[in-house]
Amino acid sequence: MRAVPAAELRPTDVVAEVREHLARSGATLSPAVVASALRDKGRPVGDATVLAVHDLLRQDVLGAGPLEPLLRLPGVTDVLVNGASAVYIDRGEGLELTTTRFPDDGSVRRLAQRLAGSVGRRLDDATPYVDLRLPDGTRFHAVLAPLSRPGSVISLRVPRARVFTLEELLDRGTVNADGAALLRRLVGSRLAFLVSGGTGSGKTTLLSALLSLVEPGHRMVVVEDASELRPDHPHVVGLESRPANVEGAGEVPMRVLVRQALRMRPDRLVVGEVRGAEVTDLLAALNTGHEGGCGTLHANSAGDVPARIEALAMATGMPQAAVHSQLASAVDAVVHVARGTGGVRRVAEVAVLTRGPAGLVSAVPAVTFPADGSTVEHPATELLGARLHA
């Protein structure tokens, strides 16, 4: 009888039956156990069939299953599962539809639950979404159907094996020569700055490269929601927030970690992503002599940064006037990164924060870098230069 190739196997038939047999017996997965299970079910036991079923089940219980080969592809930054029939990857040039498929939504659900369970998190109908970091550093987010369409969805953000240098970003076209020189001066002058941009625009990649330029004798304390920054620097201390466990206890929010970081004698305080109440503690810290502090912030443009900071801080009860007063003296510049229609990430603008007559802070463009690779200076360039030389 013809052996059934792996491509023809479905969890609804052979694979599902073998999985049930293994669950009942508690046996460890192996080709011999698979062959025994197939015999018990009256299925064909050719070598090709046994190995095909074994490989599919092995994917089901180890690593990221059928996504594992995609995660190992050179240059992959994201793997996105939109239900059973659509799996995308991002290698820095936009999303690409792959040939990887899941047999059904149940397979996507099982993979998501197994990955969540690997770090002790719950993912089921009562708690149908999760956001966490896997043991290898991969950022994992999932939402189970029917909350999501067209089925259960998984998002995996792959950590960089190594940090890009500023020179490598220059070679890749992320920044031009003028921009690279300006960013070096920004770090060397110990100005406080934020790297802004949209999701997947390269904020973390750029900030890691800039932090690698910090003087070796400076102590950096990095606070993150999920550990992603990996600067090439000899003195980095990382603090990572922790969500509540299944009992709802044990949470350690970013705001608490920012306060702890201030007690650790940082020469540079870095907040990996400013997106909540920790913004008030960061502003306070940068107003108390912690020069060279920095972080990333989701924003559509450098001009939107003050409004974004205002919204985050006022949500904690901080008055508008106090927000802008703190911001004006805490942050010197904004480096905005953008992602073009072709998926290319680049530094688009460096702006300075200034306070107007009404007391409100605005981000004024100092230098912009159009997509054609040129450099355009604006009147605020003089203000930026004065801060760099201060």
Side-chain angles (χ1 to χ4, degrees):
M1 186 176 291
R2 182 178 68 89
V4 182
E8 298 180 23
L9 297 170
R10 295 291 183 269
T12 53
D13 44 47
V14 180
V15 178
E17 292 175 354
V18 175
R19 184 186 295 112
E20 292 172 4
H21 175 89
L22 292 173
R24 286 196 305 270
S25 66
T28 302
L29 179 64
S30 69
V33 171
V34 171
S36 175
L38 289 172
R39 292 191 191 95
D40 289 348
K41 294 295 183 180
R43 295 287 187 174
V45 194
D47 289 345
T49 301
V50 170
L51 292 176
V53 174
H54 176 267
D55 288 345
L56 286 176
L57 288 173
R58 187 172 181 275
Q59 287 183 350
D60 222 21
V61 299
L62 295 176
L67 304 180
E68 196 68 37
L70 301 179
L71 293 171
R72 292 197 296 264
L73 288 175
V76 166
T77 60
D78 297 87
V79 176
L80 308 173
V81 180
N82 297 350
S85 301
V87 179
Y88 292 84
I89 61 172
D90 188 347
R91 288 187 275 197
E93 298 180 354
L95 295 177
E96 307 171 41
L97 181 63
T98 72
T99 58
T100 300
R101 300 289 185 272
F102 287 82
D104 51 33
D105 190 67
S107 300
V108 182
R109 184 186 182 98
R110 281 192 299 274
L111 174 60
Q113 289 176 320
R114 179 167 58 77
L115 292 175
S118 68
V119 291
R121 295 291 297 278
R122 176 178 176 177
L123 183 61
D124 52 27
D125 290 336
T127 309
Y129 53 86
V130 70
D131 183 23
L132 52 87
R133 184 171 63 87
L134 299 176
D136 66 354
T138 300
R139 182 74 176 267
F140 167 69
H141 181 271
V143 180
L144 299 181
L147 263 66
S148 57
R149 294 179 299 158
S152 298
V153 296
I154 295 174
S155 303
L156 294 167
R157 171 66 60 86
V158 184
R160 292 266 179 207
R162 65 179 185 84
V163 177
F164 283 121
T165 65
L166 190 58
E167 287 72 21
E168 287 174 317
L169 295 181
L170 175 60
D171 292 339
R172 292 167 64 93
T174 302
V175 62
N176 66 16
D178 295 328
L182 178 57
L183 293 176
R184 282 186 177 278
R185 292 178 63 195
L186 189 69
V187 175
S189 299
R190 299 194 68 176
L191 294 188
F193 66 93
L194 294 173
V195 178
S196 65
T199 300
S201 58
K203 299 185 297 298
T204 300
T205 299
L206 177 63
L207 185 55
S208 289
L210 296 182
L211 292 177
S212 299
L213 302 175
V214 171
E215 293 180 27
H218 285 183
R219 172 180 170 88
M220 277 192 283
V221 180
V222 181
V223 180
E224 295 181 90
D225 188 44
S227 182
E228 293 181 304
L229 288 168
R230 295 287 191 275
D232 183 12
H233 191 275
H235 199 155
V236 179
V237 175
L239 301 177
E240 183 177 4
S241 67
R242 185 176 68 192
N245 59 23
V246 292
E247 288 82 23
E251 180 183 13
V252 182
M254 288 272 286
R255 187 169 192 176
V256 169
L257 293 182
V258 171
R259 293 175 182 173
Q260 297 305 310
L262 294 176
R263 299 183 175 96
M264 300 171 68
R265 209 218 71 116
D267 291 305
R268 305 262 186 163
L269 175 63
V270 182
V271 178
E273 183 178 335
V274 182
R275 61 178 182 179
E278 68 277 359
V279 67
T280 58
D281 296 282
L282 177 63
L283 291 177
L286 297 181
N287 275 294
T288 55
H290 290 82
E291 296 181 336
C294 56
T296 67
L297 179 78
H298 280 277
N300 294 326
S301 68
D304 291 336
V305 167
R308 178 89 170 111
I309 294 289
E310 177 187 302
L312 292 174
M314 290 184 67
T316 70
M318 193 174 184
Q320 183 188 49
V323 174
H324 285 266
S325 177
Q326 293 263 356
L327 179 59
S329 56
V331 180
D332 296 296
V334 174
V335 180
H336 186 74
V337 291
R339 187 167 187 171
T341 54
V344 178
R345 304 174 176 95
R346 63 182 179 83
V347 174
E349 178 183 355
V350 176
V352 291
L353 296 186
T354 62
R355 196 174 186 186
L360 300 182
V361 174
S362 60
V364 182
V367 185
T368 53
F369 306 97
D372 61 6
S374 61
T375 301
V376 179
E377 294 188 352
H378 301 271
T381 301
E382 292 185 10
L383 177 58
L384 177 60
R387 293 183 180 181
L388 291 172
H389 287 99

